[in-house]
Amino acid sequence: MSLFMYPYKGGSASVLALAEEIGAKRIRRNGSRFKGNQEKKVINWGCSELPDEVKLCNVLNKPDAVAKASNKLSFFNAVRQFNNTSYDEYINIPMFTTSKDEAQHWLDRGYKVVERHKLTGHSGEGIKIKQDGDVLEDCPLYVMYVKKKSEWRIHVLSGEVVDIQRKARDRSVPDEQVNWLVRNHANGFIFARNEDVEVPSQVLEQAVTTVKALGLDFGAVDIIYNERGNEAFVLEVNTAPGLTGSTLTGYAERFKLLFGEGDE
């Protein structure tokens, strides 16, 4: 079976690196002469829409599943539906609403509220944290803030964890520039691997279940862990994660195990 990759954007460094590792060919987003059929396997890297010829192939990460994952409200609604219909598995997510009045009620009771002004944003784009005394703004999604001890990104491929990353404080960033509420690069955090930091079992279990529940073949699941309640909360799934170092190696080894190096 021939192996290809279709990127969400041209020139993706992660797609280039992974394609080289597993012997896959890249399909150009513009001006491609690619012809599809069921004998060709295509790794869809983050696209919610695919060209007609690519749709004819055996696609990993179907575009409708990617669409659910990439939109924050669609993701939460998909998880809620899964929880309402599953008898033996459950995905823990924060409380969410599209109602400004309901979010105001949370605020009045002393909870922090996360405003999501961009449903398809990434790296904290479009996020505003509101606390007691603040005025809520109109936005498409409100999420109840959950206190966390740690935050993780768990990479899952075909039901197996292929890499584990933890968001850690970047010591090169001054204290006054660090925002512990929203842990991203802009607020003073980096992905780290610490062998001496144990990953809570719930974090790994929730990651694997979430990827399966969305109908994805692979994804990088962002999860926070509340130590006091011993609970893991799933925040989102990235279907086009950045790949370097051991993350790249983890995906490459798992893909090779699944279907080999790919050739014409």
Side-chain angles (χ1 to χ4, degrees), residues 219-232:
V221 188
D222 288 343
I223 301 179
I224 57 176
Y225 176 67
N226 180 283
E227 186 177 47
R228 190 172 198 178
N230 191 28
E231 289 184 285

Side-chain angles (χ1 to χ4, degrees), residues 90-94 146 152 200-207 223-227 229-235:
Y90 185 85
I91 300 169
N92 205 24
I93 55 175
V146 177
W152 305 83
S201 59
Q202 301 98 312
V203 170
L204 301 177
E205 293 165 3
Q206 289 281 289
I223 301 179
I224 57 176
Y225 176 67
N226 180 283
E227 186 177 47
N230 191 28
E231 289 184 285
F233 293 83
V234 179
L235 300 182

Side-chain angles (χ1 to χ4, degrees), residues 48-182:
S48 57
E49 296 183 3
L50 295 176
D52 289 340
E53 289 296 328
V54 175
K55 292 178 183 178
L56 296 175
C57 301
N58 188 340
V59 177
L60 275 75
N61 271 9
K62 299 294 191 295
D64 58 341
V66 172
K68 288 180 185 177
S70 60
N71 182 292
K72 304 302 182 296
L73 181 56
S74 295
F75 166 70
F76 282 135
N77 281 329
V79 170
R80 175 183 282 173
Q81 182 178 11
F82 173 81
N83 288 340
N84 288 339
T85 56
S86 175
Y87 293 100
D88 55 355
E89 293 179 301
Y90 185 85
I91 300 169
N92 205 24
I93 55 175
M95 292 183 65
F96 71 97
T97 183
T98 58
S99 167
K100 187 177 179 180
D101 289 339
E102 185 175 359
Q104 183 63 55
H105 181 60
W106 298 343
L107 209 61
D108 293 341
R109 291 168 56 198
Y111 294 99
K112 295 184 180 69
V113 173
V114 182
E115 293 180 343
R116 304 293 308 234
H117 289 266
K118 291 192 175 183
L119 294 179
T120 57
H122 59 86
S123 301
E125 186 181 14
I127 286 180
K128 293 184 180 180
I129 307 291
K130 295 301 177 72
Q131 307 181 56
D132 186 30
D134 292 338
V135 177
L136 288 178
E137 302 174 37
D138 291 330
C139 69
L141 176 63
Y142 304 91
V143 181
M144 183 182 289
Y145 180 83
V146 177
K147 294 181 179 179
K148 52 190 176 284
K149 171 70 174 180
S150 55
E151 187 166 346
W152 305 83
R153 173 165 287 185
I154 310 299
H155 298 265
V156 177
L157 170 55
S158 187
E160 298 287 339
V161 173
V162 297
D163 193 40
I164 298 170
Q165 296 173 301
R166 182 176 62 86
K167 288 191 177 181
R169 164 79 187 277
D170 184 349
R171 295 297 175 181
S172 67
V173 177
D175 292 347
E176 63 273 13
Q177 295 180 20
V178 174
N179 183 346
W180 289 89
L181 298 181
V182 181

